[in-house]
Amino acid sequence: MARTTPAGRRPQRPAPSRGSLGPEAIVAAARELVAEVGLEAVSMRLLAERLRCTPRALYRHVAGKDELLELLADAVLADVPEARAGRPWEEELATFFVAMREHLVAEPALTRLVAERTVSGPHFRRHFDRLVALLLDAGFDEVAAVDLVLAVAYYTLGASLPGTGDAIQARYAAGWDAALDESVPALRRVAPALAEGSAESRFRAALRRMLAAYAP
């Protein structure tokens, strides 16, 4: 007979098996919680309830909420496909950062977290290494390679934050130019162009221009 759950209560998940509780399982459960209750509401106690363990068990793998937030910020990059060696650097960087934006937009709470914290975890290091290696192989010097990767990463993050991108584009497309008067003539002139396209198409076009500008 199927078990029933009292109204208003979430069904309990199976308890993790011995040895299955580790940083990856903890971060995966924390991402689910962030999506359900918001980043601010996530606590080690609530996370322990989700994993059906004690908070003490969590602390064997994660030092505390601060470390958990660092792991969450880095986890946003976990599913972004790696840049491929031996391919044209412009194509690989464009593909990587378009995919990065898609993942960031899908998890707005974690995108804000990435913007507020220093991300330097294993996924960040892996991607950074691949991207820089592509540029070095293409003839970039060390400074130019670092400048390019960081500049495009900052641009991608900024274009992914809640309140940017689609929200701004929707405002431009909704007759925003009607509020412009003669005091901003240049802005009135370009208002029709602002209303065209989508946030994603603008991101892709600007990304291509940035990459072309850095070509050695």
Side-chain angles (χ1 to χ4, degrees), residues 74 77-78 80-85 92-93 96-97 100 118-137 140-154:
D74 187 58
L77 299 174
V80 180
E82 293 182 357
R84 298 168 294 177
E92 287 304 299
L93 263 69
F96 174 83
F97 284 107
M100 176 179 166
T118 301
V119 182
S120 58
H123 299 301
F124 168 84
R125 295 195 298 270
R126 172 171 51 88
H127 286 308
F128 203 164
D129 180 77
R130 291 294 186 102
L131 295 170
V132 168
L134 268 174
L135 296 178
L136 294 177
D137 289 345
F140 284 76
D141 63 41
E142 291 83 354
V143 173
V146 170
D147 283 349
L148 173 52
V149 174
L150 290 181
V152 180
Y154 297 154

Side-chain angles (χ1 to χ4, degrees), residues 7-8 26 33-34 41 45-46 54 95 103 112 115 117 136 145 154 156-157 159 175 199 209 212 216:
I26 291 171
L33 273 178
V34 169
R45 178 192 59 78
L46 193 61
T54 65
T95 299
H103 283 78
R112 288 195 298 268
R117 304 184 72 85
L136 294 177
Y154 297 154
T156 303
L157 177 59
R209 293 189 181 98

Side-chain angles (χ1 to χ4, degrees), residues 6-92:
R9 293 181 57 188
R10 291 196 304 267
Q12 292 291 323
R13 294 183 170 217
S17 61
R18 183 180 299 275
S20 66
L21 184 64
E24 289 187 5
I26 291 171
V27 169
R31 290 176 78 172
E32 292 179 357
L33 273 178
V34 169
E36 292 176 14
V37 303
L39 185 62
E40 293 75 14
V42 172
S43 66
M44 299 297 280
R45 178 192 59 78
L46 193 61
L47 183 56
E49 291 179 2
R50 167 59 62 94
L51 289 166
R52 300 199 65 191
C53 67
T54 65
R56 179 176 295 182
L58 292 181
Y59 288 116
R60 296 192 187 105
H61 303 279
V62 179
K65 186 171 181 179
D66 194 60
E67 183 179 351
L68 176 64
L69 294 179
E70 291 182 9
L71 292 172
L72 279 171
D74 187 58
V76 179
L77 299 174
D79 300 326
V80 180
E82 293 182 357
R84 298 168 294 177
R87 303 278 295 178
W89 68 268
E90 301 98 324
E91 295 298 325
E92 287 304 299

